[in-house]
Amino acid sequence: MVDRPGAVQSNIRLGGPAPGRTDPDLPALRLANMIYGGYFSSRLVENIREGKGYTYSPRSSVDHQAAGSSFQVEADVATEVTGPALLETWYELGRMALLPVTEAELDGARRYVLGSMALSTATHAGLASTLSALVGAGLPRGGWPSTSRPSRR
């Protein structure tokens, strides 16, 4: 917590470690992140943006860097609602831990992730960028089509 007297806005940032790119729990975490705060129909957006009006664009993400992977939550709020916004942010994290997600939430998150992937790889440049990021992260090429021998089709 950094006190800045006279500031009109607070920047809420929470974070912690997350599974790496090759962890078998990563796909489940990605869906949980979407439901929590990873896209516009998330619980966090519904609560502190739509319901309470504390912020315009709260979000959460799972990021992968060379030093490790992390889960991050961000929201910029008016100073006078810092406490209530932080409380609601923690409330939604607790709700994710204690209550099962609904089928509708899970279906919405799945559709969003699949649609985003389809859009991001729809062009040669997008596909090359995605594959480059995966190879750059050290993921194995197993299962990818081989370019070293001609196809037998």
Side-chain angles (χ1 to χ4, degrees):
M1 187 74 100
V2 177
D3 185 25
R4 292 185 44 209
V8 297
Q9 185 172 332
S10 293
N11 307 109
I12 296 172
R13 302 293 186 266
L14 305 172
R21 284 193 184 268
T22 59
D23 192 300
D25 291 335
L26 185 61
L29 174 64
R30 286 195 177 277
L31 283 176
N33 172 64
M34 285 295 141
I35 293 165
Y36 172 73
Y39 75 124
F40 196 75
S41 296
S42 69
R43 290 179 177 187
L44 188 63
V45 171
E46 287 293 320
N47 184 336
I48 69 173
R49 180 182 195 259
E50 300 299 314
K52 306 276 189 310
Y54 292 158
T55 182
Y56 182 71
S57 59
R59 62 196 159 277
S60 67
S61 61
V62 177
D63 294 318
H64 304 285
Q65 303 295 326
S69 299
S70 63
F71 171 71
Q72 301 170 10
V73 181
E74 302 177 22
D76 299 329
V77 301
T79 303
E80 64 271 8
V81 298
T82 301
L86 187 56
L87 181 66
E88 293 299 323
T89 300
W90 278 107
Y91 164 78
E92 291 299 343
L93 279 171
R95 197 161 71 103
M96 285 297 298
L98 297 173
L99 299 174
V101 300
T102 67
E103 273 303 313
E105 288 176 313
L106 192 55
D107 185 55
R110 280 184 184 134
R111 288 174 184 265
Y112 181 83
V113 169
L114 291 172
S116 295
M117 179 59 75
L119 286 173
S120 71
T121 58
T123 65
H124 292 290
L127 180 59
S129 176
T130 299
L131 294 176
S132 174
L134 294 174
V135 169
L139 293 176
R141 284 192 51 195
W144 296 9
S146 174
T147 56
S148 61
R149 62 184 161 201
S151 173
R152 295 182 189 248
R153 292 186 208 193

